[in-house]
Amino acid sequence: MTAPGEEIHDSPTPWVADHIRAYLETDGAQGHLYRGWPTLLLTTRGRRSGRLRRTALIYGRDEDRYLLVASNAGAVQPPTWYLNLTAHPQVAVQLGADTFTAQARTATPQEKPPLWARMASIFPLYDSYQAASDREIPVVILAPVTPDPTPHP
């Protein structure tokens, strides 16, 4: 996923960049729970620039897999991180102090309903975002490629 010394570019959104910085400086002690929601750091490779891009996202679990919702608050366009991982599905994840590589994919229409329900139970605004959007908001499944060394809630 990354080459040694390759620069990672954090979200340009100031509050997200602050969240990432606190997460990194404390190995997730500050930032893993953001306003009560579990978050991880996702690093994708830019589909056009090739640069590494990092953002903080709410996540859920499905056995050994991690779940994300590409809501972009229900905007017409999906979030950039989603477009990047559809082009380059191998991603880097930081969860607390642990880091691992994962393979990302969009949940199929058959898989999505229970995964969506799980994520909406964590962050109920996802249902509002979907109701207000003409875009089908995807659920992303992250399957660890390198072992996730620590079980997480």
Side-chain angles (χ1 to χ4, degrees):
M1 165 74 208
T2 63
E6 190 172 7
E7 185 178 5
I8 298 174
H9 301 270
D10 291 337
S11 172
T13 305
W15 68 268
V16 179
D18 291 344
H19 181 182
I20 293 167
R21 189 171 22 266
Y23 202 113
L24 292 170
E25 289 173 355
T26 66
D27 283 337
Q30 292 179 12
H32 177 255
L33 285 181
Y34 181 78
R35 297 185 177 180
W37 302 304
T39 64
L40 55 72
L41 300 182
L42 178 75
T43 302
T44 59
R45 186 164 300 281
R47 69 194 182 287
R48 293 191 298 236
S49 70
R51 290 179 160 183
L52 295 177
R53 307 281 185 188
R54 180 170 45 208
T55 194
L57 298 167
I58 295 169
Y59 76 93
R61 292 290 304 257
D62 181 55
E63 297 179 13
D64 63 340
R65 306 179 307 174
Y66 297 86
L67 307 173
L68 307 172
V69 175
S71 70
N72 203 16
V76 173
Q77 295 297 318
T80 303
W81 63 262
Y82 177 74
L83 298 173
N84 288 343
L85 69 74
T86 59
H88 302 285
Q90 192 169 77
V91 298
V93 177
Q94 181 169 342
L95 186 54
D98 301 326
T99 59
F100 56 94
T101 302
Q103 192 71 21
R105 68 177 179 84
T106 302
T108 67
Q110 296 77 24
E111 292 174 302
K112 183 180 174 183
L115 303 178
W116 180 272
R118 180 166 297 155
M119 292 306 295
S121 73
I122 294 167
F123 189 71
L125 283 175
Y126 289 141
D127 285 330
S128 300
Y129 297 161
Q130 184 60 80
S133 180
D134 291 332
R135 173 175 66 89
E136 183 69 24
I137 297 175
V139 173
V140 174
I141 299 169
L142 302 177
V145 175
T146 56
D148 175 7
T150 308
H152 299 278

